Amino acid sequence: MYSLPSKLLSLEESNNPIRVGIVGIGQQGRGLVAQLLGTKGMRPVIICDIDLSNATSAFSKAGLSNECFTITNKDEVADQALLSGKFVVTEDMSLITRSNFVDVVVEATGVPEIGAKFAYKAIHCYKHVVMLNVETDVTIGPLLKRYADQKDVVYTGSAGDEPGAVIELFNFSTVLGFDVRILGKGQNHKIDRECTPDKVADEASKFNMNPKMLCSFKEGSKTMVELTAIANATGLICDVRGAHGPSSNIEGLNQVFLLKSEGGILNRYGVVDYVNGVAPGVFAIVSHKDLEINESMRYMRMGNGPNYTLFRPYHLCSLETPLSIAAAVIEKAPTIVSKGKPICETIAIAKRDLKTGEMLDSIGGYTVYGMIEIFEKAKEIKALPLGLVNSKTKVIRDIKKGEVIDYSSVQLDSSSFIAQLRAEQDKTFA
């Protein structure tokens, strides 16, 4: 990572930048477009959104005139524009995967079905994939990683997302020989399991956000997804379904996250969790068996032990994604990726009473929310992964509010690509 600045500068000076394609130009995608236009050695050559105005305004807000980009869904027109030094805006995400002028793609829609289709196509077109779509990753990430290995390309989560920021602390700690006891993140909003897009519509408009995206944060589903990604990348598990989610300041973290026998809240160490009161930061709570190391930690004012808190007070979301792009292309290294068979699962829970014949929606909607659970426990109760729920998922028995939605309670969308891949993943890692 330390050599990346000089390598990127070299690419810039030789006029051979990393060529990036992006699908999903919402809040995260807009920030990434602007960041890439100001980053040496990279270029957002093709950007895609089903609403063309999102993509064109992203370029316009970043200071490009209309003459600087071409709008097209045709390969030959896109190729000609790119050869002439222009950027391309498209509604067709497959144009990005087909293009010979794209080295690496970024998925930023946050929609599991779209993420599955785009990542699968990109990998099979021999392109590196950076996922800003954690919802897809926690559903079929192990399988996508296996496909990527077979094609000799990199599949990875993104720096700047909280899982990517947490993994920095995890790698730092493990390299230095610390025992990582807890990994976690701050929760921006006190969790409201009954939150709906209607409740947050006004707030979302202030930040130019999709209300469903903001709702997914408020209801806690996004936090559950992120904790699942951290678990699957590190091998740590959740201590209880949904995690504990205590309130604390930074100084109190290593006292709250003690074992119950030590006066804390945990049944065991080696877990992921979240905290109200330290957002937008991420943290690792570590210990060390060596007396000399502990003495040094006390000297450096890290506390009296036995647990010490390492805290990163920020994560910059898609503004950090160029780090993962560079690492994938230049070093062939992922930022964060599943270790293999899933460790945890984000399972679907009924947000309200659901009646037979109703259709569900998706994360951040009106019918379901997600909670983290140990993968093997989720498998035992046949819990439905949150990432498989969409508007064509039909309820086939009455489900009470707060109840786990299992496979036998719904009829899945028969055309769902992510459901097909998930079935393959389950067989692969059985």
Side-chain angles (χ1 to χ4, degrees):
M1 188 70 76
Y2 295 113
S3 64
L4 288 180
S6 60
K7 290 179 179 178
L8 287 170
L9 182 59
S10 177
L11 291 175
E12 182 75 18
E13 291 173 344
S14 62
N15 195 29
N16 185 31
I18 296 170
R19 300 167 299 180
V20 184
I22 308 168
V23 62
I25 312 300
Q27 186 185 44
Q28 298 302 316
R30 290 195 308 273
L32 177 57
V33 169
Q35 186 75 311
L36 286 173
L37 288 170
T39 301
K40 294 185 184 301
M42 297 186 194
R43 186 176 170 88
V45 291
I46 308 178
I47 65 174
C48 171
D49 198 278
I50 56 173
D51 184 345
L52 281 177
S53 65
N54 288 340
T56 57
S57 66
F59 274 146
S60 298
K61 289 179 178 178
L64 298 184
S65 66
N66 291 344
E67 291 73 30
C68 294
F69 55 84
T70 295
I71 301 172
T72 184
N73 292 332
K74 296 181 178 180
D75 292 19
E76 60 273 17
V77 176
D79 289 350
Q80 196 60 45
L82 294 170
L83 283 170
S84 67
K86 290 187 175 183
F87 300 92
V88 170
V89 171
T90 184
E91 299 165 294
D92 181 8
M93 68 181 183
S94 62
L95 186 148
I96 295 176
T97 60
R98 293 191 303 265
S99 176
N100 293 322
F101 295 89
V102 172
D103 305 306
V104 55
V105 302
V106 179
E107 212 295 342
T109 67
V111 180
E113 180 74 10
I114 296 175
K117 290 178 179 178
F118 184 69
Y120 179 89
K121 288 180 181 179
I123 289 168
H124 286 80
C125 289
Y126 299 92
K127 302 193 189 305
H128 304 297
V129 176
V130 178
M131 296 294 280
L132 270 168
N133 187 335
V134 191
E135 294 82 356
T136 297
D137 180 71
V138 299
T139 309
I140 56 166
L143 184 65
L144 292 175
K145 168 66 163 57
R146 175 166 288 205
Y147 286 146
D149 289 346
Q150 292 170 352
K151 300 296 183 182
D152 196 29
V153 294
V154 173
Y155 169 83
T156 179
S158 176
D161 250 0
E162 280 141 309
V166 167
I167 212 71
E168 287 184 14
L169 297 177
F170 177 76
N171 291 339
F172 173 86
S173 302
T174 53
V175 166
L176 295 180
F178 288 98
D179 174 34
V180 179
R181 294 188 158 184
I182 301 98
L183 291 173
K185 52 155 287 183
Q187 166 68 21
N188 288 308
H189 315 276
K190 187 172 182 180
I191 288 179
D192 173 12
R193 301 292 188 196
E194 298 180 349
C195 184
T196 65
D198 293 341
K199 289 184 178 180
V200 298
D202 290 342
E203 184 178 353
S205 66
K206 294 177 183 177
F207 297 102
N208 199 15
M209 286 180 71
N210 184 322
K212 288 185 68 176
M213 179 61 71
L214 181 56
C215 181
S216 73
F217 286 101
K218 296 272 192 177
E219 70 184 20
S221 295
K222 192 73 172 178
T223 287
M224 299 295 108
V225 165
E226 289 166 342
L227 291 182
T228 301
I230 296 166
N232 290 343
T234 63
L236 276 65
I237 62 175
C238 58
D239 191 35
V240 296
R241 179 184 296 171
H244 291 285
S247 296
S248 177
N249 56 20
I250 298 166
E251 292 74 18
L253 287 178
N254 56 18
Q255 296 302 309
V256 171
F257 286 116
L258 291 170
L259 297 177
K260 288 179 179 177
S261 61
E262 299 168 331
I265 63 174
L266 297 178
N267 297 299
R268 57 196 152 190
Y269 286 128
V271 300
V272 296
D273 219 305
Y274 71 96
V275 174
N276 294 292
V278 299
V282 298
F283 61 89
I285 296 176
V286 303
S287 66
H288 206 289
K289 61 184 178 181
D290 189 276
L291 294 177
E292 187 66 33
I293 299 297
N294 281 282
E295 184 175 322
S296 294
M297 292 293 279
R298 288 192 293 271
Y299 172 74
M300 289 179 283
R301 299 181 182 178
M302 293 299 295
N304 294 321
N307 295 343
Y308 308 99
T309 299
L310 306 178
F311 183 69
R312 185 185 183 201
Y314 63 91
H315 67 98
L316 304 184
C317 302
S318 61
L319 302 187
E320 295 185 50
T321 301
L323 296 171
S324 294
I325 292 170
V329 176
I330 296 173
E331 299 181 340
K332 303 296 188 291
T335 300
I336 177 171
V337 70
S338 173
K339 293 169 69 72
K341 182 178 179 179
I343 304 298
C344 285
E345 185 88 87
T346 303
I347 62 175
I349 310 291
K351 187 177 283 189
R352 57 172 174 77
D353 288 346
L354 302 169
K355 298 298 183 182
T356 301
E358 279 194 73
M359 308 302 284
L360 301 182
D361 44 21
S362 61
I363 181 173
Y366 299 87
T367 61
V368 298
Y369 60 86
M371 294 189 80
I372 187 172
E373 178 59 280
I374 295 171
F375 179 77
E376 294 300 334
K377 289 185 178 180
K379 185 177 178 182
E380 283 177 19
I381 62 175
K382 298 181 173 57
L384 182 67
L386 182 65
L388 298 188
V389 178
N390 66 24
S391 61
K392 295 182 180 179
T393 306
K394 186 176 183 179
V395 176
I396 58 175
R397 73 164 180 85
D398 290 355
I399 306 171
K400 293 186 179 298
K401 177 181 176 181
E403 185 179 343
V404 173
I405 301 174
D406 60 31
Y407 278 95
S408 67
S409 302
V410 297
Q411 180 180 310
L412 292 178
D413 173 14
S414 60
S415 65
S416 171
F417 187 63
I418 193 170
Q420 295 170 31
L421 292 185
R422 177 53 190 251
E424 181 181 345
Q425 176 175 289
D426 288 342
K427 292 179 181 178
T428 302
F429 293 94

Coordinates of all heavy atoms in Angstrom, one line a residue, residues 8 12 21 39 66 76 81 91 113 128 144 151 155 159 164 167 226 236 249 269 301 305 310 327 349 416 424:
L8 N 1.0 5.1 -8.8 CA -0.1 5.8 -9.5 C 0.4 7.1 -10.2 O -0.1 7.4 -11.3 CB -1.2 6.2 -8.4 CG -2.1 5.1 -7.9 CD1 -2.9 5.6 -6.7 CD2 -3.0 4.6 -9.0
E12 N 0.0 8.1 -14.1 CA -0.5 9.4 -14.6 C 0.5 10.0 -15.5 O 0.1 10.5 -16.6 CB -0.6 10.3 -13.3 CG -1.2 11.7 -13.7 CD -2.7 11.7 -14.0 OE1 -3.4 10.7 -13.6 OE2 -3.1 12.6 -14.6
G21 N -14.9 1.5 -14.3 CA -16.3 1.6 -14.7 C -17.1 1.5 -13.4 O -16.8 0.8 -12.5
T39 N -7.9 12.1 -8.6 CA -6.9 11.1 -8.2 C -6.0 10.8 -9.3 O -6.4 10.4 -10.4 CB -7.6 9.8 -7.7 OG1 -8.5 10.1 -6.6 CG2 -6.5 8.8 -7.2
N66 N -20.7 19.3 -20.8 CA -21.4 18.2 -21.5 C -20.5 17.7 -22.7 O -20.7 16.5 -23.1 CB -22.7 18.7 -22.1 CG -23.7 19.0 -21.0 OD1 -23.5 18.5 -19.9 ND2 -24.7 19.8 -21.3
E76 N -19.8 0.3 -29.9 CA -19.0 1.0 -30.8 C -18.9 2.5 -30.6 O -17.9 3.2 -30.8 CB -19.4 0.7 -32.3 CG -20.8 1.1 -32.6 CD -21.9 0.1 -32.3 OE1 -21.6 -0.8 -31.5 OE2 -23.0 0.2 -32.8
A81 N -15.8 7.1 -28.4 CA -15.7 8.2 -27.4 C -14.5 8.1 -26.5 O -13.8 9.1 -26.3 CB -17.0 8.3 -26.6
E91 N -26.9 3.7 -19.6 CA -27.9 3.0 -18.8 C -27.7 1.5 -18.7 O -28.3 0.8 -17.9 CB -29.3 3.3 -19.4 CG -29.8 4.7 -19.5 CD -30.9 4.8 -20.4 OE1 -30.8 4.6 -21.6 OE2 -32.0 5.2 -19.9
E113 N -29.6 -8.0 -6.1 CA -29.8 -8.6 -7.4 C -28.9 -8.0 -8.5 O -28.3 -8.7 -9.2 CB -31.3 -8.5 -7.8 CG -31.6 -9.2 -9.1 CD -31.6 -10.7 -9.1 OE1 -31.5 -11.3 -8.0 OE2 -31.7 -11.3 -10.2
H128 N -11.4 -6.9 -12.6 CA -11.4 -6.8 -11.1 C -12.7 -6.1 -10.7 O -13.2 -5.3 -11.3 CB -10.2 -6.0 -10.7 CG -8.8 -6.5 -11.2 ND1 -8.3 -7.7 -10.8 CD2 -7.9 -5.9 -12.0 CE1 -7.2 -7.9 -11.4 NE2 -6.9 -6.8 -12.1
L144 N -18.5 -15.5 -5.3 CA -17.9 -14.6 -6.2 C -16.4 -14.6 -6.1 O -15.7 -14.5 -7.1 CB -18.5 -13.2 -6.0 CG -20.0 -13.0 -6.3 CD1 -20.4 -11.6 -5.9 CD2 -20.2 -13.2 -7.8
K151 N -10.7 -16.9 -12.5 CA -10.4 -16.1 -13.6 C -9.2 -15.2 -13.4 O -8.8 -14.4 -14.2 CB -11.6 -15.1 -13.9 CG -12.9 -15.9 -14.2 CD -12.8 -16.6 -15.5 CE -14.1 -17.3 -15.8 NZ -14.0 -18.1 -17.1
Y155 N -11.5 -9.9 -6.5 CA -12.9 -9.6 -6.0 C -12.7 -9.0 -4.6 O -12.1 -9.7 -3.7 CB -13.8 -10.8 -6.0 CG -15.1 -10.5 -5.3 CD1 -16.1 -9.9 -5.9 CD2 -15.3 -10.9 -3.9 CE1 -17.3 -9.6 -5.2 CE2 -16.4 -10.6 -3.3 CZ -17.5 -10.0 -3.9 OH -18.6 -9.8 -3.2
A159 N -12.3 -0.2 0.7 CA -11.8 0.7 1.7 C -12.8 1.8 1.9 O -13.5 2.2 1.0 CB -10.4 1.3 1.4
G164 N -14.3 -2.3 5.6 CA -12.9 -2.1 5.1 C -12.0 -1.4 6.1 O -10.8 -1.6 6.2
I167 N -11.1 -3.8 8.9 CA -10.1 -4.8 8.6 C -8.7 -4.2 8.7 O -7.7 -4.9 8.9 CB -10.4 -5.3 7.2 CG1 -9.9 -6.8 7.1 CG2 -9.7 -4.5 6.1 CD1 -10.7 -7.8 7.8
E226 N -23.0 -5.0 7.6 CA -21.5 -4.7 7.8 C -20.9 -5.6 8.8 O -19.7 -6.0 8.6 CB -21.4 -3.2 8.1 CG -21.8 -2.3 7.0 CD -22.0 -0.9 7.4 OE1 -22.2 -0.6 8.6 OE2 -22.0 0.0 6.5
L236 N -14.4 -14.0 13.1 CA -15.1 -13.7 14.4 C -16.6 -13.9 14.2 O -17.1 -13.9 13.1 CB -14.8 -12.2 14.8 CG -13.5 -12.0 15.6 CD1 -12.3 -12.3 14.8 CD2 -13.4 -10.5 16.1
N249 N -18.9 5.7 25.3 CA -17.9 6.5 24.7 C -16.7 5.7 24.4 O -16.6 4.5 24.7 CB -17.6 7.8 25.5 CG -17.1 7.4 26.9 OD1 -16.6 6.3 27.2 ND2 -17.2 8.3 27.8
Y269 N -15.2 -14.0 24.0 CA -14.4 -13.1 23.1 C -14.4 -13.6 21.7 O -14.8 -14.7 21.4 CB -13.0 -12.9 23.7 CG -12.9 -12.0 24.9 CD1 -12.3 -12.5 26.1 CD2 -13.5 -10.8 24.9 CE1 -12.2 -11.7 27.2 CE2 -13.4 -10.0 26.0 CZ -12.7 -10.4 27.2 OH -12.6 -9.6 28.3
R301 N -0.1 5.0 27.4 CA -1.4 5.5 27.8 C -2.6 4.9 27.0 O -3.6 5.5 26.7 CB -1.5 7.1 27.6 CG -0.4 7.8 28.5 CD -0.5 9.3 28.3 NE 0.5 9.9 29.1 CZ 0.7 11.2 29.2 NH1 -0.1 12.0 28.5 NH2 1.7 11.8 29.9
G305 N -5.3 -2.2 30.8 CA -5.5 -3.6 30.3 C -6.6 -4.3 31.2 O -7.2 -3.7 32.1
L310 N -8.3 0.1 20.1 CA -7.7 0.8 19.0 C -8.9 1.4 18.2 O -9.9 0.7 17.9 CB -7.0 -0.2 18.1 CG -5.9 -1.0 18.7 CD1 -5.2 -1.9 17.7 CD2 -4.8 -0.1 19.3
A327 N -5.1 -1.1 -5.2 CA -4.6 -2.3 -4.6 C -5.0 -3.5 -5.5 O -4.1 -4.4 -5.7 CB -5.1 -2.5 -3.2
I349 N -36.0 -10.7 9.1 CA -37.0 -10.6 10.2 C -38.2 -9.8 9.8 O -38.1 -8.8 9.1 CB -36.4 -10.0 11.5 CG1 -35.0 -10.6 11.8 CG2 -37.4 -10.1 12.7 CD1 -35.1 -12.0 12.3
S416 N -34.8 -14.8 -9.9 CA -33.8 -14.1 -9.2 C -32.4 -14.8 -9.4 O -32.2 -15.9 -9.1 CB -34.1 -14.1 -7.7 OG -32.9 -13.7 -6.9
E424 N -26.1 -22.2 -5.5 CA -24.8 -22.8 -5.9 C -23.8 -22.7 -4.8 O -23.0 -23.6 -4.5 CB -24.3 -22.1 -7.2 CG -23.0 -22.7 -7.7 CD -22.5 -22.0 -8.9 OE1 -23.3 -21.3 -9.6 OE2 -21.3 -22.2 -9.3

